[in-house]
Amino acid sequence: MLAPAPSAPARLAASPSSHLRTLEAEAIHVMREVAAQFERPALLFSGGKDSILMVHLARKAFHPGPVPFPLLHVDTGHNFPETLAFRDALVAGLGLRLEVASVQGAIDAGRVVEETGPEASRNGLQIVPLLDALAEHRFDAAFGGGRRDEEKARAKERFFSARDRFGQWDPKNQRPELWDLYNGHRHVGETFRVFPLSNWTEMDVWQYVALEGVGLPALYFAHERDVFERGGTLLAVTEFAGPQAGEAVRRETVRFRTVGDATCTGAVRSTASTLPEVIREVAAARQTERGGRHDDKRSEAAMEDRKKQGYF
């Protein structure tokens, strides 16, 4: 289920540049600042490469001590099985504390209403269980794996991003960040989202994964899977998503550039099955990393609208 650890040649294929070590040092500095300035931080964990990378960096930041905050997974109930298997193996192997906020639980409790129809997704429904979990555990800061190169709304985020008492984000009301000085002073009711990977690119992530030998779910590497196309997005056939009339199922060799809710996370046709092959493919890619996320195509401001409501 888990991708094998990269071989020595794969590691050598990565460029061990000072650029990656600079990004690593910056992310570790941000994590240590959060540990110093906040009382109850948590690390938002999706099972995707960015949150896995943050766990790796957190271990480095606080070595030889344990990671001083838990992981928080907002489970849509529509995850790829490979993602959950990787999450559970990682948590058990490293002895980490995991909290799970359930979208299905929020639906059952009447806190959110499930969408219907062929375009239905639980992606936006994660907001309520996320905010409920932050309140329940009194988390005052939540690490997110968002990077500025991913999407234009994420490009507006600061490292320390304040959220009001309702968990809402106002991109015009954020605190200045001069050099590496981060202001974590909270007004009553506020929480923070913190993005240690803000200055990383998709290529940086892959090169660092190769350099450090970070394990990832097998979803990120080429494999055969039944897929169908909807609105230009190649969706996997799962128990949560299937073809509608006129949508043909084909067996194709694909991989995923992002990992999220199975109903809206698109695959890409690819034969890249090793880290060097993935790195070469990313270098030549003409489509953005989130170009295969069906949910982001709902409107030009889909991500920013969700973030203003309290999304990651």
Side-chain angles (χ1 to χ4, degrees):
M1 187 68 69
L2 305 185
S7 63
R11 295 189 189 198
L12 291 174
S15 173
S17 68
S18 59
H19 170 67
L20 294 178
R21 292 306 180 197
T22 299
L23 291 173
E24 176 191 66
E26 180 182 67
I28 286 174
H29 172 67
V30 170
M31 288 185 165
R32 288 173 176 166
E33 278 294 301
V34 170
Q37 295 193 41
F38 294 88
E39 296 179 1
R40 299 177 68 87
L43 191 155
L44 297 173
F45 187 83
S46 67
K49 63 183 183 305
D50 298 317
S51 57
I52 292 169
L53 189 59
M54 285 203 298
V55 171
H56 181 81
L57 291 166
R59 294 179 65 207
K60 280 198 158 192
F62 303 104
H63 178 79
V67 175
F69 36 75
L71 310 186
L72 172 60
H73 182 206
V74 182
D75 183 354
T76 67
H78 289 170
N79 295 286
F80 289 99
E82 295 95 330
T83 304
L84 296 181
F86 188 95
R87 178 199 71 182
D88 294 341
L90 183 76
V91 169
L94 299 180
L96 301 172
R97 174 185 156 201
L98 171 68
E99 301 289 349
V100 178
S102 168
V103 170
Q104 184 62 55
I107 293 171
D108 294 342
R111 298 276 293 145
V112 296
V113 178
E114 182 146 37
E115 297 180 356
T116 58
E119 303 293 330
S121 167
R122 289 186 170 183
N123 205 18
L125 304 188
Q126 296 177 87
I127 295 171
V128 169
L130 167 62
L131 298 182
D132 285 350
L134 294 178
E136 176 187 354
H137 298 287
R138 294 184 290 116
F139 293 135
D140 50 8
F143 292 104
R147 308 187 321 265
R148 290 176 177 141
D149 80 316
E150 287 182 272
E151 199 274 337
K152 53 185 178 294
R154 289 185 167 175
K156 297 180 182 179
E157 290 278 17
R158 305 290 173 89
F159 279 94
F160 278 32
S161 182
R163 300 296 202 264
D164 68 15
R165 64 172 61 240
F166 304 106
Q168 297 172 330
W169 176 58
D170 180 357
K172 297 179 181 177
N173 186 26
Q174 298 297 312
R175 296 168 188 181
E177 291 182 340
L178 305 177
W179 302 286
D180 58 352
L181 301 177
Y182 307 113
N183 183 352
H185 178 73
R186 292 184 303 123
H187 299 297
V188 175
E190 283 186 336
T191 58
F192 275 71
R193 306 289 171 80
V194 182
F195 302 99
L197 307 183
S198 288
N199 287 336
W200 295 56
T201 66
E202 182 186 13
M203 178 60 81
D204 294 329
V205 170
W206 280 109
Q207 289 187 326
Y208 188 79
V209 164
L211 180 67
E212 290 284 298
V214 180
L216 295 177
L219 286 166
Y220 282 109
F221 300 92
H223 58 283
E224 286 194 350
R225 183 177 290 265
D226 288 335
V227 296
F228 61 98
E229 192 162 348
R230 176 177 299 162
T233 301
L234 206 59
L235 295 173
V237 176
T238 65
E239 61 179 300
F240 318 114
Q244 303 291 314
E247 297 174 337
V249 174
R250 297 187 297 272
R251 189 76 174 173
E252 297 206 33
T253 301
V254 301
R255 72 177 193 88
F256 293 85
R257 291 175 71 182
T258 65
V259 171
D261 189 289
T263 63
C264 61
T265 301
V268 294
R269 295 180 178 90
S270 171
T271 58
S273 57
T274 66
L275 280 170
E277 289 171 348
V278 170
I279 289 171
R280 284 196 292 272
E281 184 180 271
V282 170
R286 300 297 300 271
Q287 187 181 44
T288 63
E289 182 181 5
R290 292 187 68 91
R293 294 295 287 263
H294 198 59
D295 223 41
D296 287 355
K297 299 178 181 178
R298 292 189 171 192
S299 75
E300 280 292 315
M303 173 63 83
E304 181 156 338
D305 291 342
R306 290 201 301 270
K307 289 177 76 68
K308 286 179 178 177
Q309 297 170 40
Y311 194 69
F312 303 102

